[in-house]
């Protein structure tokens, strides 16, 4: 039967990683894959995680099953991190998932069960796996304009105009912060406008937040999400612990469904447990347990926040350096938007031909849509990149 299988398009970012590895030049710069790197190019385990692992090794007495939706303490800790006190706990159903991807997948499956006709509106561009999972599940999908190539900012008018075509019951997939792949994010005033429009049209927000703490800080990065969850009648939230805890391979994430308290919440919670049971039964526990320990222990939490803050500031410094260098070399302000973007990524807003030119002539690897991972840079490679961008005539 295996001969009946169809080939699937290779993941472009993973293919790019391989080309980078095969490239014999020794001053290549990999700005492709979405993993945080420090100035030495490493993705180290955070100290807070190491310490939590040590404690866990000493204290853990069983590896028996936990629960279909994970440890309730993980849900409580993540809800506090994501939502603060913006939403009453009694309104929230929660399920631990394998990473943020698992949360996106379970969230879309929940939508398909609850509202099979709903169209899911996605930003153009969005994280390619959103589109891939939506297609795999057969969920009707439509794009809304998001990025303005000319300014490097959010095309907010375009976004609102496109969403006007959405029908009541449709879902709007939004990035909570640090939009991937563009790095451009709505202002708080724009979040407020968006909420008003979604309320008026009867749309449901699904907020994917994978980089809390990478943009303007833990609280600020969640501000848009908190406004949405507190003002909309129903909100879905997919959160990832991969980046901000640096535990990519542990697969820790959570899906939250905010709605009415009481029987409605219990019904949703039961459906989340059902969905986990069908797909993988019990969610991975190790990463989630580390996160819970870090978030609920004052010493570990302070250590983690300090490390996260250092990562965030490092990325902001690189953004400023790059924008400054480009300003000097191009004698223009047209790249200043790079300093305004937030998170690990920025979309340069140039053609695939120019992206290819950067790779061929300068050994600089960007994703084909001109997304670059700012954390892949360091003080030495910033001038190299700036020179290459100007040389390529971008
Ligand atoms: N959502 C977005 C927008 C992402 O960029 C990512 C990771 O790249 C994820 C979700 C999922 O991350 P993970 O499944 O590794 O936790």
């Amino acid at each position: 039967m295996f001969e009946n299988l169809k080939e699937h398009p290779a993941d472009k970012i993973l293919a790019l990683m391989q080309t980078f590895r095969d490239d014999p030049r020794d001053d290549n710069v990999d700005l492709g894959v979405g993993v945080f790197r420090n100035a030495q190019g490493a993705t180290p385990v955070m100290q807070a995680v190491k310490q939590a692992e040590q404690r866990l090794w000493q204290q853990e007495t069983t590896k028996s099953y936990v629960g279909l939706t994970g440890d309730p303490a993980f849900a409580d800790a993540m809800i506090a991190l994501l939502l603060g006190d913006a939403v009453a706990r009694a309104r929230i159903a929660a399920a631990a998932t394998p990473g943020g991807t698992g949360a996106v997948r379970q969230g879309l499956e929940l939508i398909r069960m609850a509202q099979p006709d709903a169209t899911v509106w996605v930003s153009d561009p969005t994280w390619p796996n959103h589109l891939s999972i939506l297609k795999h599940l057969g969920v009707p999908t439509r794009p809304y304009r998001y990025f303005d190539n000319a300014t490097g900012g959010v095309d907010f008018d375009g976004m609102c105009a496109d969403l006007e075509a959405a029908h009541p019951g449709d879902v709007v997939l939004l990035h909570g912060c640090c939009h991937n792949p563009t790095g451009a994010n709505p202002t708080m005033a724009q979040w407020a406008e968006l909420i008003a429009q979604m309320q008026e049209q009867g749309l449901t927000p699904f907020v994917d937040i994978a980089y809390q703490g990478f943009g303007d800080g833990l609280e600020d990065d969640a501000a848009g999400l908190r406004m949405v969850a507190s003002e909309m009648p129903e909100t879905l939230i997919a959160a990832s612990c991969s980046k901000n805890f640096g535990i990519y391979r542990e697969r820790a994430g959570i899906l939250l469904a905010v709605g009415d308290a009481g029987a409605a919440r219990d019904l949703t919670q039961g459906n989340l447990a059902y969905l986990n049971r069908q797909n993988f039964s019990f969610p991975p526990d190790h990463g989630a347990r580390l996160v819970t320990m870090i978030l609920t222990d004052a010493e570990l939490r302070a250590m983690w926040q300090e490390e996260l803050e250092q990562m965030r500031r490092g990325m902001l410094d690189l953004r400023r350096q790059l924008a400054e260098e480009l300003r000097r070399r191009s004698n223009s302000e047209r790249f200043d938007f790079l300093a305004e973007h937030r998170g690990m990524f920025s979309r340069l807003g140039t053609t695939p031909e120019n992206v290819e030119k950067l790779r061929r002539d300068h050994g600089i690897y960007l994703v084909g849509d001109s997304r670059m991972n700012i954390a892949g840079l360091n003080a030495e490679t910033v001038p190299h990149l700036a020179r290459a961008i100007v040389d390529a005539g971008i």
Side-chain angles (χ1 to χ4, degrees), residues 34 98-104 126-127 129-130 175 177-180 208-211 238-243 248 251-253 344-345 371:
T101 308
V104 168
T126 190
W127 182 46
N129 216 15
H130 283 154
H175 295 228
C177 63
C178 307
H179 184 270
N180 179 7
D208 181 8
I209 181 159
Y211 302 91
S240 166
C241 305
S242 301
K243 325 277 162 151
Y248 304 82
R251 314 309 300 137
M344 215 152 56
F345 305 116
R371 181 191 92 167

